[in-house]
Amino acid sequence: MQLLKNRILSQGRCLEGGVLKVDSFINHQMDPLLMREMAAELVRRFSGVAVDKVITIEASGIAPAILVGLELGLPVLFVKKSRPSTMADFYVSSVFSFTKNRTYDICVSKEFICPGERLLFVDDFLANGNAALGVADLASQAGAVISGMGFLIEKGFQDGRRILQERGYRIESLAIIDSLDNGRISVR
Amino acid sequence: MQLLKNRILSQGRCLEGGVLKVDSFINHQMDPLLMREMAAELVRRFSGVAVDKVITIEASGIAPAILVGLELGLPVLFVKKSRPSTMADFYVSSVFSFTKNRTYDICVSKEFICPGERLLFVDDFLANGNAALGVADLASQAGAVISGMGFLIEKGFQDGRRILQERGYRIESLAIIDSLDNGRISVR
C-alpha cells in the first residue's frame, strides 16, 4: 500500500536491534485518516473471505481493528494481555515476546468466541508471528476458525509469515520491510 | 445518549462490588457502529471547543478516541500503561487503580505533546477520575492544556466528576450510572 510505504519512509525511524519506530502515526500517536485507509485496504484484500467477527490484541491492534469492523459492520473482539478481575470464564494462551524478552498470558472471554465462528485477525505488526499464533490458539480452543490475518506492517526478514503460512493461514500485509540494516529502512 | 443507555440496560451486567460489566459492546467485544455514534456525540458535545489533538489511555480508550479523531480530522495519542523499551524521552505519572488495587505508571513520549497544545481526553469510563488526573498531569508536565474530557460511561455515584470539575475541567459523559445497588443498573 503506497500511502503507508511513503509514510514509513518519511516518518519511520530505525533503532538499534532491528526496531522500526512508527510511533508518530501507528502505535503511540495515530493518524486516523491513514488508519481508515489501511482498514479499507485490508477489507479489500479479504473481500470474498467469509468473516463473522474481527479479532485483535491490545493495545496497538485496536485502532485498525475497530475501523475494519466498522467497514465490515461486524463486532470486534480485543484479546487482553492480562486477565481482568471481572472475567470469569476464559481461554488463555502463552505468548513469548522477543521485544520484551518475556512470556505473557493472553486471554479472551469464552462468551465471545463460538464454535464455528470465522475470525479475521488484525494487528499492527507481523514479526515472528507469536502474538498471531497465540490468538489462533485461543480461537482453536473455542472451536472457531481464523479466516485470515491482516497486518499493517510486516518485518519480511523475520519468520512470522513462513510460520503462519505453514499452518495454513492466509496472510495480508500492507507494507513489508525487507531490512533495517545499517539504520536504513528498506521497504519491498 | 439514549442509544447507549438502552444498550447498557439491555446488555450491561452488574457484578458484586459495584462493577458494571459492558464487555459485550464496549471494553472487550466492541460494537463499531455504536462506537462511531458515541464518538460523533462526543464531537457534538465539544463543538465550539478548540482542540489540536485527541488523547486517550490504553486499551479501552483507543476505540472511541480513534473514532473521535477521525471525526475531527485530528491526530490521536494513546498514553501507555508501561514504558515501552523503545521510548527514550517521556513524561510519566502514577495512577492508583481501585479496580486492580495497585499503582501503575502511565507515560507518553515528549515528542507528541507540545507546550500550548489543546488536548481532548477521551476514555471509556469515568469513576474516581484517577486515570484522567494522570493524563492531565502528563499534559501539565508538557505545558499542554486539557480542553475537555469526554467519557462513554460515568459512574455518577463515585467522585470522579466532582474532583475533575473542581480542577476546572469540562466533563461530558454519554451515560451516567446512578447506582448499581442490589444488582440493579440504574441509569440517569
Side-chain angles (χ1 to χ4, degrees):
Chain A
M1 186 191 182
Q2 203 54 48
L3 195 65
L4 174 59
K5 291 179 191 173
N6 293 346
R7 189 68 85 88
I8 292 169
L9 290 171
S10 63
Q11 292 184 17
R13 276 179 302 149
C14 190
L15 304 189
E16 274 181 51
V19 173
L20 175 64
K21 219 168 145 65
V22 288
D23 60 356
S24 64
F25 57 102
I26 298 261
N27 52 14
H28 185 21
Q29 181 168 270
M30 304 178 290
D31 175 344
L33 298 167
L34 174 66
M35 209 57 100
R36 183 175 59 187
E37 291 307 307
M38 293 190 291
E41 176 64 19
L42 283 177
V43 168
R44 269 190 293 275
R45 302 243 188 135
F46 286 105
S47 65
V49 173
V51 176
D52 301 306
K53 193 175 280 186
V54 178
I55 191 167
T56 187
I57 187 162
E58 63 179 4
S60 313
I62 294 176
I66 193 81
L67 294 169
V68 167
L70 191 59
E71 185 96 9
L72 293 171
L74 292 175
V76 178
L77 182 60
F78 72 86
V79 169
K80 309 250 181 177
K81 284 184 174 166
S82 63
R83 185 202 152 188
S85 52
T86 59
M87 199 188 289
D89 212 12
F90 51 91
Y91 302 108
V92 63
S93 190
S94 286
V95 171
F96 178 74
S97 162
F98 283 97
T99 322
K100 294 176 180 168
N101 194 30
R102 65 177 181 89
T103 298
Y104 59 96
D105 282 346
I106 60 172
C107 73
V108 71
S109 169
K110 290 191 178 177
E111 277 182 84
F112 304 127
I113 314 189
C114 306
E117 213 166 28
R118 294 160 299 184
L119 306 172
L120 177 61
F121 177 63
V122 171
D123 207 357
D124 58 339
F125 268 95
L126 170 60
N128 49 66
N130 282 359
L133 284 176
V135 171
D137 178 43
L138 296 174
S140 154
Q141 291 179 47
V145 176
I146 300 283
S147 292
M149 296 182 164
F151 302 91
L152 306 184
I153 302 176
E154 174 182 340
K155 289 182 170 174
F157 54 92
Q158 294 195 355
D159 279 338
R161 174 179 287 266
R162 184 185 55 75
I163 290 166
L164 296 173
Q165 284 181 338
E166 277 174 11
R167 283 168 171 75
Y169 299 116
R170 171 165 167 202
I171 310 296
E172 293 285 347
S173 303
L174 302 185
I176 299 178
I177 309 299
D178 272 329
S179 143
L180 294 170
D181 293 344
N182 307 314
R184 200 179 146 271
I185 301 169
S186 169
V187 181
R188 192 172 303 173
Chain B
M1 187 191 181
Q2 202 54 47
L3 195 66
L4 175 59
K5 291 179 191 173
N6 294 347
R7 189 67 86 87
I8 293 170
L9 290 171
S10 64
Q11 292 183 16
R13 276 178 304 147
C14 190
L15 304 187
E16 273 181 53
V19 173
L20 175 65
K21 220 169 144 65
V22 288
D23 61 357
S24 64
F25 57 103
I26 298 261
N27 53 16
H28 185 22
Q29 182 167 267
M30 305 178 289
D31 175 343
L33 298 167
L34 174 66
M35 209 56 99
R36 183 176 59 186
E37 291 306 307
M38 294 191 291
E41 176 63 18
L42 283 177
V43 169
R44 270 191 291 276
R45 302 241 188 139
F46 286 104
S47 66
V49 173
V51 176
D52 301 307
K53 193 174 278 185
V54 178
I55 189 167
T56 187
I57 187 162
E58 63 180 4
S60 313
I62 294 175
I66 194 81
L67 293 168
V68 166
L70 191 59
E71 186 95 8
L72 293 171
L74 292 175
V76 178
L77 182 59
F78 72 86
V79 169
K80 309 252 180 175
K81 283 184 174 167
S82 63
R83 186 202 152 186
S85 50
T86 59
M87 199 189 290
D89 212 12
F90 52 89
Y91 301 109
V92 63
S93 190
S94 286
V95 172
F96 178 75
S97 164
F98 282 98
T99 323
K100 294 176 181 168
N101 193 33
R102 66 177 180 88
T103 297
Y104 58 97
D105 282 346
I106 60 173
C107 73
V108 71
S109 168
K110 290 190 179 177
E111 277 182 85
F112 303 128
I113 314 189
C114 305
E117 213 165 28
R118 295 159 299 184
L119 306 172
L120 177 61
F121 176 63
V122 170
D123 207 358
D124 58 338
F125 268 95
L126 170 60
N128 49 66
N130 282 0
L133 284 176
V135 171
D137 179 42
L138 296 175
S140 154
Q141 290 179 48
V145 175
I146 300 283
S147 293
M149 296 181 164
F151 303 92
L152 307 183
I153 302 177
E154 174 182 340
K155 290 181 170 174
F157 53 92
Q158 293 194 358
D159 279 337
R161 176 179 286 266
R162 183 185 57 74
I163 290 166
L164 296 173
Q165 284 181 337
E166 277 174 11
R167 282 168 170 75
Y169 299 117
R170 173 167 166 200
I171 310 296
E172 294 285 347
S173 304
L174 302 185
I176 300 178
I177 309 299
D178 272 330
S179 143
L180 293 169
D181 293 344
N182 307 314
R184 200 180 145 269
I185 301 168
S186 170
V187 181
R188 192 173 301 173

